[in-house]
Each structure stands twice: as structure tokens, then as C-alpha cells.
Amino acid sequence: MMVAANTETTVSPAAQAHGESFWARNRHYLLLAPGVLWMVLFLVVPLLMMVYVSFWTQTTFSINSTLTTKSWETFFASETYFGALLRTLRIWLTVLFLTLLIGYPAALFIGQFVRNKTTQTILLVACVIPFWTSFLIRVLAWRPMLGKEGAINILLQSAGIIDQPIEVLLFTELSVIIGMVQIYVVFMVGPIAFMLARIDESLIEAARDLGASAWTIFRTIIFPLSLPGVVVGAIFVSVMVLGEFATASALSGRKVNLLGNIIVTQVGSLKWAFAAVVGVILTVVMAVVITGLLRVVNLRREL
């Protein structure tokens, strides 16, 4: 009887060690590979394509891949389009300031004066309740509030504060700012309240024992330790406000054009090259803003 040959493959210790060392050396890169591939395919490639399309030749009814800078020249030479860029930056700065001005005291109350974790959670959830309804409903709800015969004017006239309705409350840049502040202030409250809740109470007690005033404690302890939350909230608000178009259309009666509104209009008119130009400019503006905010504080170290 023939004895069956042993077919098992024996891996030498050197080869096994080589294989293990390969996976050990490269496991971080292999774990990152799916995420990096996703970002390259769905972020980097579309951005590069948008830059490329922005140099295409745009005619009235067609577009071809002949490279030209005409669309870029049109944007910067037009007072309307360049004015939209300046208006977008102005509204962004105003909304960012107002959301911080309104959101920080609310976050300070939740994070410092409310010590019970359950109550903190309830208050934060209450801030998020408006997001349980449609974005469009929340925006359009301001129209009967801000109109010439809206609730605000009726209340002011009933109280005898004004004789005639205030007309600048609706279909103006002011109405757009009011709508954006109400919608996005919660994105400032959440991160700041989270950072304030993490502050060690013993630091504040030690400062009080040493005779520090409430303003000194806030200036030297509370605000510096809450700065990472301010930066995170500012990034959230900035990204959403800079890309806005729906709120401006609904509350300004299309009288206030932001960069987002121009992109929507140009895409609807099949002006792909010009829409790509505005998209590239908006992307660069967002990148500069976020980079500047990230330089305020090292989030990797603080969070």
C-alpha cells in the first residue's frame, strides 16, 4: 500500500515573520485606505473637475471643452457677481457674530449654571426641537412674523412704540440675517455648552478663594477653556451660512443674491462653466475661513 504524500505547506519562520511585520508596519495605512479612497473619489476628483469645467468655453446655448478664462473675467468684472461675493462675506460675518452673541450666554447657562446632567440634556434637546420640522417651514414661518402686517409690527403698534409698520423687516438683507441667526444659533450653543460642561469646578472655586472677580474668572478661565467649542461652532455656522441660498430666496424675495443663489441660477440656466467658477470661489472662501478658524486653537490637543 502506498503512503499518501504529505501535501501541507510549511511556512518558514522567516517568511511568517516577514508577513507579520508587513501587516504590522502598514496596518494604519490599510485602515485608512477605504476612507482616503472615498474622499479622493467623491471630494478631490469632483473639486478638480469643477476647476477644469470653470475654464470651459460657455456660449448662450452650449458649452465646449475649449479652455478660456472668459467666465472668470465675467465674474470679477461684474459689479453684480462680485457684489454678491462681498454681500455673502458681510452676511456671514454678521450671522457669525450674532450667533456667538446669542448662543454663548445660553451655552454658559447650560454648561455652568445647570449642574445636573439630565437637565443639561433636556435643555440641549429643547434647542434642537425646531430641527424636528422642515427647514423650509422654519424659514417661511418668518414671513408672517416679519411682514408689513406681521406679528412683530402688530405688537409694536399695539404697544404704541411705532405709528407706521416697519417695512425693512421683510424682503431685505435684515430678514435674511434674522432667519439665518434663528436657524443656525443652535450649532453655536451645542459645542460651547459641551466645552463649558467639561471645565473643572475646582478651578473656578480656587479663583474665587484667591479673590478673583466674576469677570476675571470668565476672562482668564471660562472663556479660554471654552474657545475650542467656539471655534467648532464657528466652523459649523460658517460652512452653512456661506453655502446658503434657500433662506435668502425665501426671506428676501430674491432681492438678496448670495453666491449660493448665483450657483443655483446658473445651473438652472445650464451655464455650467460660470456656475463652476462661482463654486470654486465659494470653495476657496470656505477653505480660507476654516483654515483661519483652526489656527485660533489646536482642536486636536484641546478636544
Side-chain angles (χ1 to χ4, degrees):
M1 180 180 296
M2 298 179 61
V3 179
N6 186 4
T7 59
E8 293 184 1
T9 302
T10 303
V11 180
S12 65
Q16 186 175 1
H18 175 74
E20 290 179 353
S21 62
F22 172 80
W23 290 105
R25 289 197 307 268
N26 299 281
R27 64 178 182 272
H28 300 95
Y29 301 105
L30 294 172
L31 290 172
L32 285 172
V36 171
L37 181 62
W38 179 273
M39 295 293 288
V40 169
L41 290 177
F42 298 103
L43 179 62
V44 177
V45 172
L47 286 176
L48 293 177
M49 188 62 189
M50 184 169 62
V51 174
Y52 177 53
V53 171
S54 70
F55 290 99
W56 284 12
T57 300
Q58 179 80 62
T59 61
T60 305
F61 300 106
S62 64
I63 185 174
N64 61 73
S65 58
T66 304
L67 299 183
T68 179
T69 59
K70 186 176 180 180
S71 296
W72 287 89
E73 294 170 2
T74 300
F75 180 90
F76 288 104
S78 171
E79 292 185 4
T80 301
Y81 297 131
F82 190 72
L85 171 60
L86 299 179
R87 187 181 303 110
T88 300
L89 294 175
R90 182 172 65 248
I91 290 178
W92 159 65
L93 286 172
T94 305
V95 173
L96 184 62
F97 172 75
L98 291 176
T99 52
L100 180 60
L101 185 65
I102 297 172
Y104 198 97
L108 184 63
F109 174 77
I110 295 173
Q112 281 293 302
F113 293 93
V114 178
R115 307 311 302 178
N116 185 276
K117 298 297 182 182
T118 303
T119 307
Q120 288 181 350
T121 304
I122 293 173
L123 291 174
L124 288 174
V125 170
C127 294
V128 180
I129 285 178
F131 286 82
W132 296 359
T133 61
S134 168
F135 174 87
L136 188 59
I137 293 175
R138 283 182 283 131
V139 172
L140 293 178
W142 280 104
R143 298 183 77 165
M145 293 284 293
L146 301 175
K148 188 176 179 180
E149 298 179 358
I152 294 178
N153 274 317
I154 291 175
L155 289 174
L156 292 176
Q157 286 180 295
S158 300
I161 299 176
I162 59 175
D163 297 325
Q164 298 295 327
I166 302 175
E167 299 184 7
V168 297
L169 292 179
L170 187 60
F171 300 137
T172 60
E173 190 172 307
L174 176 61
S175 62
V176 175
I177 292 173
I178 292 173
M180 287 187 182
V181 170
Q182 184 269 325
I183 292 171
Y184 297 126
V185 68
V186 66
F187 292 98
M188 190 68 77
V189 173
I192 297 176
F194 173 76
M195 292 303 302
L196 289 170
R198 294 177 56 185
I199 296 177
D200 190 349
E201 186 65 24
S202 62
L203 293 175
I204 299 176
E205 291 297 333
R208 287 173 180 162
D209 292 341
L210 293 172
S213 64
W215 168 246
T216 302
I217 292 173
F218 174 79
R219 181 174 55 84
T220 60
I221 298 177
I222 295 177
F223 184 75
L225 292 178
S226 67
L227 197 55
V230 174
V231 172
V232 172
I235 291 174
F236 287 158
V237 173
S238 297
V239 170
M240 289 180 287
V241 171
L242 288 172
E244 258 282 9
F245 64 93
T247 304
S249 296
L251 295 181
S252 73
R254 300 186 181 276
K255 295 179 181 179
V256 177
N257 278 327
L258 307 179
L259 290 182
N261 298 102
I262 294 176
I263 293 174
V264 172
T265 302
Q266 296 300 316
V267 170
S269 303
L270 302 181
K271 301 293 180 65
W272 302 105
F274 195 80
V277 169
V278 183
V280 171
I281 292 173
L282 183 57
T283 303
V284 171
V285 170
M286 286 187 180
V288 171
V289 168
I290 294 173
T291 302
L293 290 171
L294 289 176
R295 293 181 67 87
V296 174
V297 64
N298 188 342
L299 293 181
R300 181 179 297 180
R301 182 187 64 191
E302 298 296 336
L303 298 177

